[in-house]
Amino acid sequence: MLVRAGLCLRPPLRPGGGGGLRRLSGAHAPPPAAVRCFPLSRALLRVQGPEAATFLQGLVTNDVARLLWGGGAARPPEGGAPSPPLLPPARAQYTHALNVQGRCLYDLILYRLHQSQEEEPNILLECDYSVLDSVQKHLKLYKIRRKVNIAPCLDLSLWAIIPGEESGDISSILDKCAHKTLVLTPDPRAEVMGWRLIMNKEGNPQEIVPGSHIGDVSDYHRHRYKQGIAEGVKDIPPGIALPLESNLAYMNGISFTKESAYLSVIVSSCESICSRISSQSHSTVSWRHPRSKHWHQLDVVIARCDNLKNVLLTHSYHSADYDTDHSLVCSKLKVIPKKLHRSKQTGRPRIDARKTANSERAEKFRATLEENLRSNPGGADVISRW
């Protein structure tokens, strides 16, 4: 209490130094800049190819069609052009990747690099730097026969551009600076999170955004926590939280109208489906969709009861195609080859002539043979009888 009272009785500080405490250094405090640039520990993956949009559509919670063709645009038919969009397509989109239980795996931000619909889809995928290899492995797991190239962009860096409170609306200024770099677009999660900047690692964000300075990344996280926005594996542990528990609906990261059974089956009714199947006393190979009321066949591995001990591990991989309800089921089996016992073939009888090497035995055998031949009727010698 004494210290607090003493502080209250001190006279206010003046810039000129008269009265109150003196500055130990003659330098003045720098004025707060209008725009702050924060380097982020986030990584980028490039997903490029003719089927990049269809590939990502079945893996993320948001509607990738809005990123490519704009809000309200219909999906283009085979070999045709999409209908005119009601809203211009955004440059960035916030989304999540889920596991087969409907839990959040990775928080992602998609960036569209191609400018027109005639160009080949080229999308940058932003994720946490610590799970870059895991995200790349997760995407390649569902790449089966897809015309898609997935590669990390290690030569690019990501920055968060957050305007100050006194800067006002600087959207027009940043729009004019967008041509100087690869991507400069508003943060798709919330307006208070500013803009996202993607540039080469050798570049300087102060040269692109005029009147800005590089801030401490701890101030970025403090600002993000005040807005209630989760980011990274520390805030969203993989495989634990549900999408709606991470404010995904408030941050425009989920679409409940996309043409995909991936979201409706896994997120909305995963727990009810599992409880319905486990509550039955008999084995089942089909289940009914809770919304369409259609029956679907489950992908199972059938094994005999005697061979259950040889089934070591079984995995179910969901397809990246959103128009199928079947899964790829792989099992790790312990195979013991059966031993074939073959009987030995009996060979032809052979005469043991090894004892003829003894001269005494050979002479005795010759005499016995001649005596037995003479005793036979005919009276001829051995040579003539032979």
Side-chain angles (χ1 to χ4, degrees), residues 138-157:
H138 177 75
L139 294 178
K140 290 185 176 181
L141 183 65
Y142 301 100
K143 187 194 168 181
I144 307 173
R145 295 193 300 270
R146 288 286 187 184
K147 297 179 181 179
V148 175
N149 296 324
I150 304 171
C153 300
L154 303 179
D155 57 336
L156 299 178
S157 61

Side-chain angles (χ1 to χ4, degrees), residues 38-43 126-130 158 217 220-221 231-232:
F38 300 99
L40 304 179
S41 59
R42 306 277 287 178
E126 174 194 334
C127 64
D128 196 295
Y129 188 81
S130 60
L158 184 66
V217 70
Y220 168 77
H221 293 303
E231 183 180 288

Side-chain angles (χ1 to χ4, degrees), residues 55-308:
F55 171 69
L56 293 175
Q57 180 77 346
L59 292 178
V60 297
T61 58
N62 215 332
D63 192 359
V64 186
R66 295 181 180 178
L67 180 66
L68 301 183
W69 305 305
R75 183 179 302 279
E78 295 294 336
S83 59
L86 301 179
L87 298 175
R91 193 71 185 275
Q93 185 182 78
Y94 182 61
T95 184
H96 274 203
L98 309 180
N99 58 7
V100 294
Q101 287 79 24
R103 305 282 176 171
C104 296
L105 284 179
Y106 317 107
D107 60 308
L108 311 172
I109 296 181
L110 306 180
Y111 299 94
R112 177 177 51 83
L113 297 184
H114 57 279
Q115 300 296 333
S116 62
Q117 300 174 0
E118 290 77 12
E119 299 179 11
E120 186 179 64
N122 190 2
I123 300 173
L124 283 181
L125 189 145
E126 174 194 334
C127 64
D128 196 295
Y129 188 81
S130 60
V131 294
L132 174 61
D133 296 336
S134 301
V135 175
Q136 186 176 2
K137 183 179 179 181
H138 177 75
L139 294 178
K140 290 185 176 181
L141 183 65
Y142 301 100
K143 187 194 168 181
I144 307 173
R145 295 193 300 270
R146 288 286 187 184
K147 297 179 181 179
V148 175
N149 296 324
I150 304 171
C153 300
L154 303 179
D155 57 336
L156 299 178
S157 61
L158 184 66
W159 296 76
I161 311 297
I162 298 181
E165 297 179 356
E166 301 178 356
S167 60
D169 188 9
I170 61 170
S171 300
S172 59
I173 300 177
L174 295 179
D175 285 334
K176 297 178 181 179
C177 304
H179 68 280
K180 300 180 181 179
T181 183
L182 183 62
V183 174
L184 181 59
T185 182
D187 196 308
R189 297 172 294 182
E191 185 179 357
V192 294
M193 292 305 298
W195 290 53
R196 306 294 265 196
L197 171 64
I198 300 178
M199 58 183 299
N200 294 326
K201 285 189 175 181
E202 295 79 9
N204 187 2
Q206 295 178 341
E207 299 176 357
I208 300 175
V209 182
S212 63
H213 80 286
I214 299 177
D216 190 2
V217 70
S218 60
D219 295 336
Y220 168 77
H221 293 303
R222 190 178 298 108
H223 172 74
R224 182 169 56 84
Y225 293 149
K226 288 181 180 179
Q227 310 302 328
I229 296 179
E231 183 180 288
V233 294
K234 293 184 178 179
D235 298 341
I236 309 175
I240 296 179
L242 290 170
L244 299 183
E245 294 177 352
S246 305
N247 293 333
L248 201 60
Y250 295 99
M251 293 187 293
N252 305 318
I254 190 171
S255 174
F256 296 101
T257 59
K258 62 183 293 187
E259 298 178 4
S260 173
Y262 169 78
L263 192 63
S264 59
V265 173
I266 294 181
V267 178
S268 304
S269 58
C270 178
E271 297 180 356
S272 60
I273 291 173
C274 295
S275 61
R276 186 182 301 112
I277 294 177
S278 60
S279 62
Q280 297 179 1
S281 58
H282 60 279
S283 301
T284 180
V285 294
S286 61
W287 62 275
R288 189 174 64 172
H289 196 281
R291 294 186 179 180
S292 62
K293 306 302 180 181
H294 294 165
W295 287 92
H296 301 270
Q297 181 182 359
L298 292 179
D299 299 287
V300 296
V301 174
I302 301 176
R304 294 183 179 180
C305 295
D306 299 337
N307 299 330
L308 286 179

